[in-house]
Amino acid sequence: MSSALLKDTWRTSVRNWKRFFSIVVITTLGVAVLTGIYAGCRDMLLSADRFYDAQGLFDIQVVSSAGLTDDDVTALSKVEGVQTVQAEMSASVNTDVAGTSKSATINRIGGQGLNKSYLQEGVLPSKSGQIAVTRQFIVDSGLHIGDTLDVTASDTDSSSGAASAQGEPVFPGSYTITAVVLDPSDIANPEGYSTGAFRSNDAESYAFFVSSSSMEGSLYTAISLRVSDAEQLDTFSDEYSAKVQQVVSRIEDSVAPERQRARERQLTAQVQEAQRQAAADSVSDATGRSSAEASDESLSIPTVQWHVQNRSSITTYSNLKSDLSSIESIGRAFPVVFLAVAILMSLTAMTRMVEEDRGLIGTYLGLGYGKIAIITRYVGFALAACLLGGVLGNIVGFVGIPVFLMQVLKGLYVIPDVSLSFDPAYGLGGVALFTVGVVVSTLLACRGETSLTPAQLMRPKSPKAGSRVFLERFTWVWGRMSFLNKVTVRNLFRFKSRLLMTVGGIAGCTALIVCGFAINDTVQTLGSKQYSDIDRYDLLSVAASDETAAAMKERLADDGKVKSSVEVRVGSAEMLNAEGNSESIQLIVVPDGQDIAPMVDLRPASQGLGRMFGFAKAPSERPRLTLGDDGILVAQSAANAMGISGNSTVSLRADGLDQQKVKVQAVFRNVIGSDVFISQSLYESSFGVKEAGFVTNAVMATLNGDEDSQISYAQRLVKSSDVASAISTADMERSFAFDLMSAVVALIVVLAGCLALVVLFTLASTNVSERVREMATLKVLGFTDREIHLYVNKEMLILTLLGTLLGLPLGRVVGGMLTGVLDMPGMFFEVEINWVSYVISAAATLFFAFIVQFSTNMVLNRIDPVGSLKSVE
Amino acid sequence: MSYIQFDHVVKEYPSGEESIRALDDASFTADKGGLTIILGASGAGKTTALNILGGMDTLSSGTVKVDGRDISGLSRKEQTLYRRSDIGFVFQFYNLVASLTALENVELASQICPDHFDPRETLEKVGLGNRLDNFPSQLSGGEQQRVAIARAIAKRPKLLLCDEPTGALDYVTGKQILQLLQDISQREGMTVVIITHNTAISAMADKVIHFRSGRVYNSTDNPRPLPVAEIEW
Ligand SMILES: Nc1ncnc2c1ncn2[C@@H]1O[C@H](COP(=O)(O)OP(=O)(O)O)[C@@H](O)[C@H]1O
Ligand SMILES: [Mg+2]
């Protein structure tokens, strides 16, 4: 390029600052949306990964139904790919928390540096009688460092049989709290706002940590493993999962069966030994019977079952992963719209810029400058704008948005040392994507003009011909329209591409805003849908144990607060789909002959297109589901994420029972929680609990009194040591909030709003620039400023209204697709949009149009008729 | 007293440190109902003078009176209203609104003026009675200029100002346009000012004003203007 051409390029760019600005802002927004949500999630995940690695969180953990021994540790350490092995010892205890007995687990701090607790305050326990507790416990109990903590061993473990008592941990009953720690396997923020409402476990358990001098024994609760070279990998990546899965398979295939049999033999030997002892003791009085009894008892030795778990078994790990992946999926869905709009707008802006320079291009070509040199002018202009936008977008995307998201995430999860990071592949890739889009549109814009001969170019371009519009055929309407309205209609149809761009651009932005509100409205209504419409009970009271169930029921009956009730059995369980993905659920066993309908409104889940576009039958018009004996009813909120539908087969692992396959009778409409209903007969036949005797341990009840009295009744109830949890649905409904999602929504609405503003601005300024002569002519004719504003704005207003009207249903459709995008366990996104949101979205768009109109008016006022009409266009 | 009084008008354009004097103490007059032709080389200040006369530009010093009204100190808004009621402009480029038919282009002007000619009749007057519903793209250059003239006169203006109206037209068509303008002046009694650099056509005017370097160096009355058809150049 010659220096004269360079100089001219520079001047042109300065003159076209508005176009430059449009492209910069659109690219900034696009790159920010593309990278921001991703980067925020990635920063959080990387920080979590670093934290997990620093604390040596296990990659694999082996638990067994009959405890684990030193031989198991040795066997596991020999497995290929296993780096470190640590035997874990823990004990279930009860402790008094604010007047109620709560269950807790005392964990022995391991010797191999695995699963280290992160010290937040105090000194880690080193001597016997010292204990570290979690922040959650401090918050709930009101105790402090230095206070004394008493525990009593809970005698729940019955499944492992009498023999396993040998080698079980021995520990003191009283401790001094020396530290507050963060357990890497539970990073939920206890002081943050509650998001846990929809995924909290009814049976809450605290974790305590003691040094090895405080707990002795030879039987381990679990064995933690670290996999070689897994630490370098991102724990949330597929590579990591694959690497760990290899070792899991190796253990499951070879070590597990062998060690299970060995342990069974050992247990059998122990039982036989005990019997021999017993037989020897009673040999004098009943000689003949002992061998018969012994063979009888040996049958009762349970089969030993190992569970080889990976990190997914950690609740907060899975929650963090699913929370972030749901936001990330939003982050993936929206940039497409931004990219499309960016390409449309740069095409509009650059085409106009090249058109304006028509004569100039002719002159340059005439002077002998090559096409390439001329195209370079415009490509350079667009490229510079794009790159500047890209840099700004990366700053917003890798700093601004992550900082904002982390602020929200910090309320949910505690991860020490969260840090920002830049992902070159994503950051530069995003810029490249927009650059290619914009540059290609610029080349397209240039193609038209540069292919003409200089002579053609120097002649004015024939203005877009006017033509009759279809409306004129309706003479009745046309004849009644005022002159200026006719002009407006003509102009609308004259600039067809502008009509499409404007309507399309505005519809897109309105749809984005509607979408944002859709997420918000959906989250807002989920609570009332679940706790008022679906759950008809007011109280779910779960007994502390099967033994206290009777006392709890008696208490409920005596208090006289209960209107009607249904007794059920509630327990936590794991549900696995055909692919082996697991999810924790709440298993509700309905006693035979009981009708659950008065307590839970079971309706079939909506499916397919009707669900997406919001025209599915209202739930109350669908036929009610009744629980049968050959299949379970699964909550839609649990089924959706796992791809479970009616007639699927799933595996259930109820607490303390072996994993069993069951058929799914149907999926019922449920938006929060992971409830699975099973009939007593199916429960008994599947899990073989008939002999043990079926007991109900929970009561669903409707209550007298208003919501406040119901909530306080539940609070009083839970203080009883007979009651593990008493959930008031009124309380749940009130406390349900999903701040993370609301934050993302706010982000999207703001970004979409900015986009709408830039789109309107670009279109309006292109419109004015295309029609400067027309406006100048009107000025010469003596049109006042107001009349000219009206002349131009009427068109823009009509297009904006059309775009907005189109954008509202479009937003509903795109919003409906979010159901599929946001699949997280324990939550079903039944998209719901309040009419107020439509109004606000439309009003916001129109407000933006108004702002842009205002700036357009300024531009119109500045048009100088003398200067504008001097030359040929 | 003359209908148009252009009195010691100075128009300066700021340009860097110095300023360009587009009009440097220019003075002339013109009578009501007459056809005045302004002649001069390119850059002499003709357009500037016409724009000031038409309320499209402001002046640095001097006074301009039209029909006894001083228009030199008008505000932007007053200028707009002045153009609206009193001025019809015709340019070298016709500046028709492409999306409107010939008739509608004329209506565009007439509908903002309460006291206007009937657009249809006006178009008939300029010889386009049978092209009312054509769009500009369907008309020739000369026809487009006729529409522009019709649009300018439909407002019943006090002054019809034409800046090189034949600049983009061929000889024959240009002649027809000039004939039309002369007819308008003579038959309708409208005051017409035409800028041209074609000295030959000055014979058609009632008055000829010569511009040179922002000054009027010669102004001659022509008691017997020739019909355009009789002028050859
Ligand atoms: N907007 C402007 N800024 C600076 N100079 C101008 C401007 N308009 C006109 N001029 C200058 O004023 C002088 C007269 O211009 P103009 O009246 O257009 O001449 P004519 O119409 O006689 O060819 C010229 O020298 C021109 O360069
Ligand atoms: Mg001129």
Side-chain angles (χ1 to χ4, degrees):
Chain A
M1 263 195 198
S2 73
S3 71
L5 188 59
L6 271 178
K7 231 183 246 166
D8 182 49
T9 305
W10 172 247
R11 291 222 181 96
T12 313
S13 309
V14 172
R15 190 156 39 79
N16 287 293
W17 67 271
K18 273 187 197 165
R19 291 193 179 112
F20 196 80
F21 174 80
S22 293
I23 299 176
V24 168
V25 174
I26 289 178
T27 317
T28 304
L29 286 174
V31 173
V33 174
L34 185 70
T35 57
I37 296 172
Y38 161 82
C41 295
R42 180 173 171 273
D43 287 344
M44 199 68 186
L45 290 177
L46 285 182
S47 305
D49 178 49
R50 270 198 304 277
F51 175 64
Y52 286 148
D53 288 340
Q55 303 313 121
L57 184 67
F58 67 81
D59 294 314
I60 299 173
Q61 194 163 54
V62 178
V63 291
S64 162
S65 53
L68 295 148
T69 63
D70 280 321
D71 292 340
D72 295 329
V73 174
T74 316
L76 283 171
S77 63
K78 287 190 185 126
V79 174
E80 191 197 337
V82 172
Q83 191 179 40
T84 322
V85 181
Q86 176 174 300
E88 307 288 355
M89 201 180 282
S90 65
S92 298
V93 294
N94 287 326
T95 187
D96 193 68
V97 176
T100 329
S101 173
K102 293 282 181 186
S103 65
T105 311
I106 300 187
N107 301 288
R108 189 184 72 170
I109 299 172
Q112 304 298 319
L114 263 57
N115 307 329
K116 284 182 293 187
S117 295
Y118 178 83
L119 185 66
Q120 290 180 308
E121 214 181 302
V123 209
L124 284 176
S126 55
K127 290 208 249 337
S128 176
Q130 295 183 333
I131 200 162
V133 299
T134 58
R135 178 73 61 189
Q136 177 81 60
F137 182 75
I138 294 283
V139 169
D140 293 353
S141 69
L143 294 176
H144 298 285
I145 289 179
D147 288 348
T148 307
L149 171 64
D150 293 319
V151 300
T152 51
S154 63
D155 38 16
T156 47
D157 225 1
S158 52
S159 62
S160 46
S164 65
Q166 277 190 15
E168 276 201 343
V170 188
F171 50 94
S174 182
Y175 299 91
T176 312
I177 301 174
T178 62
V180 179
V181 296
L182 176 61
D183 178 4
S185 61
D186 180 12
I187 55 169
N189 185 353
E191 287 159 312
Y193 27 76
S194 134
T195 66
F198 61 94
R199 45 166 80 123
S200 73
N201 276 323
D202 294 349
E204 217 167 343
S205 179
Y206 299 100
F208 300 145
F209 303 90
V210 296
S211 68
S212 53
S213 51
S214 284
M215 192 178 269
E216 271 152 20
S218 57
L219 198 59
Y220 305 119
T221 334
I223 299 174
S224 299
L225 311 173
R226 287 233 65 178
V227 173
S228 323
D229 304 326
E231 189 170 328
Q232 291 95 292
L233 299 174
D234 170 11
T235 181
F236 300 99
S237 68
D238 293 341
E239 291 88 1
Y240 171 85
S241 304
K243 186 155 203 95
V244 170
Q245 193 51 44
Q246 270 182 355
V247 180
V248 168
S249 309
R250 244 173 248 151
I251 294 171
E252 279 176 340
D253 293 348
S254 58
V255 187
E258 188 187 308
R259 292 307 310 160
Q260 280 163 202
R261 272 196 303 281
R263 179 72 178 141
E264 277 166 19
R265 278 197 301 275
Q266 193 186 9
L267 287 174
T268 314
Q270 278 175 11
V271 169
Q272 281 166 350
E273 176 65 22
Q275 282 165 352
R276 249 196 301 282
Q277 211 96 54
D281 289 350
S282 58
V283 72
S284 51
D285 46 272
T287 324
R289 268 177 45 219
S290 65
S291 66
E293 253 178 43
S295 59
D296 236 32
E297 266 189 65
S298 64
L299 285 175
S300 75
I301 292 168
T303 47
V304 177
Q305 177 72 47
W306 273 23
H307 294 302
V308 186
Q309 303 168 330
N310 53 25
R311 284 182 179 174
S312 307
S313 63
I314 304 171
T315 313
T316 50
Y317 172 94
S318 319
N319 286 354
L320 180 68
K321 192 172 176 176
S322 74
D323 267 0
L324 293 182
S325 67
S326 66
I327 313 175
E328 247 195 285
S329 46
I330 296 186
R332 265 196 296 274
F334 286 100
V336 182
V337 180
F338 280 80
L339 181 64
V341 172
I343 290 174
L344 273 185
M345 287 308 116
S346 51
L347 192 59
T348 311
M350 292 313 294
T351 307
R352 181 59 206 157
M353 181 168 165
V354 174
E355 257 173 35
E356 268 177 18
D357 284 355
R358 186 184 165 91
L360 193 72
I361 294 174
T363 312
Y364 274 121
L365 285 176
L367 287 174
Y369 282 95
K371 248 189 218 177
I372 304 288
I374 290 159
I375 291 176
T376 313
R377 269 166 64 98
Y378 300 102
V379 171
F381 178 84
L383 196 65
C386 232
L387 291 180
L388 179 60
V391 170
L392 293 176
N394 269 323
I395 293 172
V396 178
F398 283 97
V399 181
I401 296 178
V403 165
F404 169 76
L405 284 180
M406 270 172 206
Q407 225 38 50
V408 183
L409 280 163
K410 271 184 194 159
L412 303 179
Y413 300 102
V414 186
I415 299 173
D417 304 324
V418 180
S419 60
L420 299 174
S421 62
F422 179 68
D423 181 354
Y426 223 81
L428 302 181
V431 179
L433 198 64
F434 277 81
T435 307
V436 168
V438 171
V439 166
V440 168
S441 7
T442 308
L443 289 176
L444 283 178
C446 289
R447 205 188 49 183
E449 305 286 311
T450 49
S451 59
L452 299 176
T453 65
Q456 280 173 312
L457 284 168
M458 286 201 264
R459 246 176 282 135
K461 188 178 182 179
S462 50
K464 263 208 184 78
S467 58
R468 305 254 153 220
V469 298
F470 76 99
L471 204 59
E472 289 177 55
R473 305 227 183 92
F474 304 92
T475 349
W476 190 82
V477 184
W478 188 252
R480 245 151 256 255
M481 279 166 63
S482 81
F483 176 75
L484 282 181
N485 283 343
K486 288 183 194 170
V487 176
T488 304
V489 172
R490 277 275 170 69
N491 281 333
L492 284 179
F493 287 96
R494 174 168 150 220
F495 301 101
K496 281 198 197 66
S497 68
R498 202 189 63 225
L499 183 139
L500 290 179
M501 294 251 182
T502 313
V503 171
I506 292 167
C509 295
T510 313
L512 279 179
I513 299 175
V514 170
C515 237
F517 280 111
I519 301 175
N520 195 47
D521 288 351
T522 305
V523 171
Q524 294 294 322
T525 53
L526 283 183
S528 78
K529 278 181 180 166
Q530 182 65 41
Y531 301 115
S532 295
D533 300 354
I534 300 171
D535 291 347
R536 296 196 169 160
Y537 60 87
D538 298 317
L539 176 77
L540 174 61
S541 181
V542 183
S545 68
D546 289 356
E547 287 73 41
T548 64
M552 180 191 76
K553 289 172 200 166
E554 208 166 302
R555 159 100 193 254
L556 284 170
D558 291 347
D559 284 343
K561 185 83 178 153
V562 173
K563 232 190 280 178
S564 63
S565 66
V566 169
E567 290 180 12
V568 290
R569 180 173 181 83
V570 172
S572 59
E574 288 278 308
M575 180 168 69
L576 292 89
N577 64 6
E579 288 81 48
N581 300 325
S582 85
E583 184 182 349
S584 43
I585 53 141
Q586 175 159 282
L587 188 65
I588 301 172
V589 191
V590 182
D592 290 338
Q594 272 282 19
D595 183 15
I596 198 81
M599 294 298 154
V600 185
D601 192 24
L602 296 169
R603 306 281 182 168
S606 62
Q607 315 245 293
L609 288 178
R611 176 171 97 191
M612 185 179 288
F613 300 131
F615 51 74
K617 235 191 215 168
S620 55
E621 285 161 26
R622 299 177 206 152
R624 200 182 285 276
L625 287 168
T626 40
L627 180 60
D629 284 343
D630 43 287
I632 56 173
L633 290 177
V634 181
Q636 193 173 16
S637 43
N640 191 45
M642 301 240 291
I644 295 170
S645 56
N647 290 329
S648 306
T649 301
V650 297
S651 299
L652 285 181
R653 194 155 65 207
D655 44 11
L657 301 169
D658 289 336
Q659 185 172 317
Q660 298 296 344
K661 280 202 158 103
V662 286
K663 229 185 84 194
V664 176
Q665 181 199 330
V667 173
F668 67 91
R669 173 177 179 254
N670 194 76
V671 291
I672 304 168
S674 314
D675 288 353
V676 170
F677 287 93
I678 185 168
S679 70
Q680 182 190 348
S681 3
L682 182 60
Y683 179 71
E684 285 173 346
S685 61
S686 304
F687 294 98
V689 286
K690 190 125 201 169
E691 303 80 34
F694 174 78
V695 210
T696 57
N697 67 344
V699 174
M700 285 178 176
T702 56
L703 301 179
N704 299 312
D706 60 7
E707 291 195 347
D708 287 329
S709 75
Q710 293 179 3
I711 293 170
S712 63
Y713 180 63
Q715 282 165 350
R716 257 181 291 136
L717 209 55
V718 81
K719 293 224 167 75
S720 154
S721 57
D722 296 333
V723 180
S725 74
I727 297 160
S728 153
T729 52
D731 190 24
M732 293 296 274
E733 184 173 341
R734 283 185 198 178
S735 61
F736 177 77
F738 196 10
D739 300 78
L740 184 55
M741 206 46 93
S742 311
V744 177
V745 167
L747 194 69
I748 288 168
V749 170
V750 168
L751 292 174
C754 293
L755 186 69
L757 208 53
V758 186
V759 165
L760 284 167
F761 176 80
T762 310
L763 291 168
S765 65
T766 306
N767 180 26
V768 170
S769 119
E770 272 175 10
R771 295 166 67 187
V772 170
R773 283 181 86 81
E774 193 176 327
M775 300 306 133
T777 305
L778 295 181
K779 285 196 171 191
V780 172
L781 286 177
F783 275 62
T784 60
D785 285 348
R786 275 203 48 227
E787 284 167 338
I788 292 176
H789 296 168
L790 200 69
Y791 182 90
V792 174
N793 292 339
K794 210 185 256 175
E795 288 169 33
M796 279 311 269
L797 193 69
I798 289 173
L799 293 180
T800 308
L801 282 174
L802 271 177
T804 309
L805 284 181
L806 207 74
L808 296 178
L810 188 68
R812 178 64 187 83
V813 172
V814 178
M817 292 177 186
L818 290 173
T819 308
V821 175
L822 298 170
D823 51 348
M824 52 193 112
M827 181 127 146
F828 178 80
F829 237 73
E830 194 178 72
V831 174
E832 171 92 38
I833 307 181
N834 196 325
W835 64 269
V836 176
S837 298
Y838 287 118
V839 174
I840 296 176
S841 307
T845 312
L846 293 178
F847 175 70
F848 293 146
F850 178 77
I851 295 177
V852 170
Q853 210 163 75
F854 186 76
S855 88
T856 310
N857 289 348
M858 298 289 115
V859 176
L860 288 175
N861 290 350
R862 275 199 302 270
I863 290 178
D864 166 30
V866 180
S868 312
L869 295 178
K870 214 182 240 170
S871 61
V872 209
E873 158 118 300
Chain B
M1 213 159 79
S2 300
Y3 197 62
I4 298 173
Q5 282 181 292
F6 212 75
D7 209 11
H8 299 289
V9 175
V10 176
K11 173 68 184 175
E12 286 186 327
Y13 288 109
S15 161
E17 283 161 31
E18 293 169 43
S19 56
I20 297 172
R21 279 204 166 197
L23 288 178
D24 187 7
D25 198 22
S27 305
F28 67 86
T29 59
D31 293 327
K32 186 174 168 117
L35 191 152
T36 305
I37 282 188
I38 297 180
L39 284 173
S42 188
K46 308 182 295 290
T47 299
T48 309
L50 201 74
N51 286 343
I52 288 173
L53 199 55
M56 295 234 288
D57 214 343
T58 51
L59 55 167
S60 307
S61 71
T63 45
V64 178
K65 282 187 181 168
V66 175
D67 195 13
R69 181 183 179 201
D70 187 354
I71 59 152
S72 39
L74 294 186
S75 69
R76 235 178 76 92
K77 208 165 171 164
E78 288 166 334
Q79 277 187 340
T80 304
L81 293 177
Y82 166 68
R83 287 202 298 271
R84 192 183 178 108
S85 57
D86 293 352
I87 301 297
F89 261 110
V90 176
F91 296 99
Q92 176 178 358
F93 309 105
Y94 331 114
N95 293 322
L96 299 179
V97 178
S99 55
L100 302 181
T101 61
L103 180 64
E104 287 162 347
N105 262 288
V106 180
E107 283 175 340
L108 191 61
S110 65
Q111 55 93 33
I112 57 167
C113 257
D115 177 32
H116 58 80
F117 290 121
D118 178 59
R120 211 174 277 273
E121 284 170 16
T122 315
L123 275 171
E124 275 159 16
K125 224 178 277 173
V126 300
L128 287 176
N130 54 345
R131 307 297 297 271
L132 297 179
D133 291 333
N134 284 89
F135 286 97
S137 57
Q138 298 166 320
L139 299 172
S140 71
E143 286 164 343
Q144 287 189 54
Q145 192 62 300
R146 279 167 197 270
V147 177
I149 291 167
R151 187 174 67 183
I153 61 174
K155 293 198 298 178
R156 226 191 263 272
K158 285 180 180 167
L159 297 182
L160 176 61
L161 306 178
C162 313
D163 193 347
E164 302 190 29
T166 58
L169 299 174
D170 60 85
Y171 176 79
V172 178
T173 322
K175 231 173 154 177
Q176 287 165 353
I177 293 295
L178 290 172
Q179 182 66 64
L180 176 63
L181 292 172
Q182 194 180 40
D183 291 348
I184 289 167
S185 162
Q186 286 171 357
R187 282 188 214 141
E188 313 288 335
M190 195 173 281
T191 312
V192 180
V193 181
I194 301 173
I195 290 179
T196 180
H197 33 228
N198 183 353
T199 322
I201 64 170
S202 49
M204 72 179 270
D206 296 303
K207 182 164 200 166
V208 180
I209 297 164
H210 284 264
F211 268 72
R212 186 185 284 169
S213 324
R215 287 164 183 271
V216 176
Y217 86 94
N218 191 5
S219 170
T220 45
D221 284 316
N222 183 6
R224 249 186 303 282
L226 289 176
V228 176
E230 291 173 22
I231 308 172
E232 295 289 336
W233 64 88

